[in-house]
Amino acid sequence: MFPSRKFRLGTTAVVYCAMLSFVGEYTFAEQRPERIASTHLCTDQLLMLLAEPKRIASLSYFASNPDMSMMAEAAKPYPVNHGLAEELVLQKPDLILTSQFGSPSILILKDLGYQVLSVPVALTVEDIRENIQTVAEAIGDPDRGREVVRQFDLELIQVSAPFNEPRPKMLNYEANGYTTGKRTLQSDILEMAGFTNLAVELGISGNQYLPLEALVMHPLDALMTASDYEQN
C-alpha cells in the first residue's frame, strides 16, 4: 500500500521531542540552586543540557536506559533516583525538576518545603524553546538557556527539509488508532522534515482517534508508527 521510501526525520527535533513546557507554581530562589535532582526523563535531559555536571544531584532511573533516553550514555555517571521521597531527601537537593504527573512523593517533598518545578508535556517546537529558557532561569543559568536555544535553532535549520512542492504526505498512526494533528510536536516534526501531515488536512487537532477505514481512504507516501519497546 505504501511505497518503499525512507525519509530522514530531523534528529535534533527527535532529541528534543520529549522535552517539557513549563507551568505550575514555582518561586524562583534568590540563590542559585547547586544540587538539582530530576525525577522525569524529559527533565533529566534538560538538566544535563543546562547544568554543570557537579550541580546534578541525581537523575531518574530512566535517564540511562537507551531504549527510552536519547542521552543514555551521558546519564551514566550520575546518581539515580526512583522518584521516592525517602531517597530524594537523602540526596539533599535544593531544587527538584519533575513532570505534571508527579508522584505522591513529590507532594510530600513540597509539604516538607523542597523547591519543586513541575512541568507538562510540550505541544509544539515553540514550547520547547520556552521551556528550555524557563528551566535555565530556574537553575540560575539564563545565559546557558539562551545558548542552548540558539544551538537548537541552528541545528533545526540544518536538519529541516526544503519546502518543495508537492510535499509527500505522511501520517503518524499510534496505538489504538490515534493520530496527531495541529498543535502537536509530532506534527511540527513532520512539517520540518518536509512532509504534509495528513491529519492536519483532515482537520484533526491534538491527539484524536482515526478509524483504519478512514486511513485507507486517503493516499499516503509514508506512515509513521511507534517502534516496539522491549524492557530490559
Side-chain angles (χ1 to χ4, degrees):
M1 177 179 176
F2 299 104
S4 178
R5 300 174 61 188
K6 291 184 179 180
F7 299 92
R8 179 177 178 270
L9 292 178
T11 54
T12 301
V14 173
V15 168
Y16 285 86
C17 75
M19 296 302 181
L20 303 174
S21 180
F22 168 82
V23 294
E25 299 177 1
Y26 176 75
T27 302
F28 290 96
E30 294 182 2
Q31 294 184 339
R32 190 177 83 150
E34 296 298 336
R35 290 188 56 79
I36 309 164
S38 167
T39 68
H40 188 276
L41 176 60
C42 298
T43 53
D44 292 337
Q45 296 178 103
L46 277 177
L47 184 56
M48 285 187 284
L49 285 169
L50 293 167
E52 303 99 322
K54 65 181 181 180
R55 298 174 63 203
I56 299 178
S58 67
L59 302 173
S60 81
Y61 65 100
F62 297 116
S64 59
N65 184 338
D67 290 326
M68 303 182 68
S69 173
M70 298 298 295
M71 300 176 68
E73 194 65 31
K76 287 181 179 178
Y78 298 107
V80 171
N81 73 71
H82 298 78
L84 302 176
E86 53 267 38
E87 62 182 350
L88 286 164
V89 167
L90 292 175
Q91 291 170 352
K92 300 180 180 178
D94 42 22
L95 174 62
I96 299 169
L97 304 178
T98 190
S99 76
Q100 69 185 100
F101 308 108
S103 66
S105 292
I106 297 298
L107 297 178
I108 294 172
L109 291 166
K110 282 185 177 181
D111 289 341
L112 291 173
Y114 284 85
Q115 291 287 321
V116 176
L117 178 64
S118 300
V119 292
V121 177
L123 296 178
T124 65
V125 170
E126 182 56 34
D127 289 344
I128 292 172
R129 296 186 184 96
E130 292 179 4
N131 73 355
I132 291 172
Q133 192 60 47
T134 302
V135 173
E137 292 175 4
I139 69 172
D141 283 319
D143 290 342
R144 174 60 182 161
R146 283 186 283 271
E147 175 59 26
V148 170
V149 170
R150 186 189 70 82
Q151 186 63 34
F152 174 59
D153 287 337
L154 286 175
E155 294 187 15
L156 281 182
I157 292 172
Q158 293 172 3
V159 300
S160 294
F163 289 87
N164 296 326
E165 298 293 345
R167 308 181 85 190
K169 291 186 181 181
M170 181 182 271
L171 183 80
N172 175 38
Y173 204 60
E174 300 179 350
N176 301 315
Y178 278 83
T179 189
T180 47
K182 293 180 182 178
R183 288 284 301 164
T184 65
L185 195 52
Q186 294 92 332
S187 186
D188 278 2
I189 292 171
L190 290 182
E191 292 289 332
M192 288 185 298
F195 294 94
T196 292
N197 184 1
L198 177 62
V200 173
E201 287 195 344
L202 296 176
I204 292 173
S205 181
N207 296 291
Q208 291 188 27
Y209 175 69
L210 181 68
L212 188 60
E213 294 82 357
L215 171 61
V216 300
M217 292 294 293
H218 297 85
L220 285 173
D221 295 294
L223 185 69
M224 182 169 70
T225 61
S227 60
D228 293 334
Y229 169 67
E230 296 182 4
Q231 187 170 5
N232 295 323

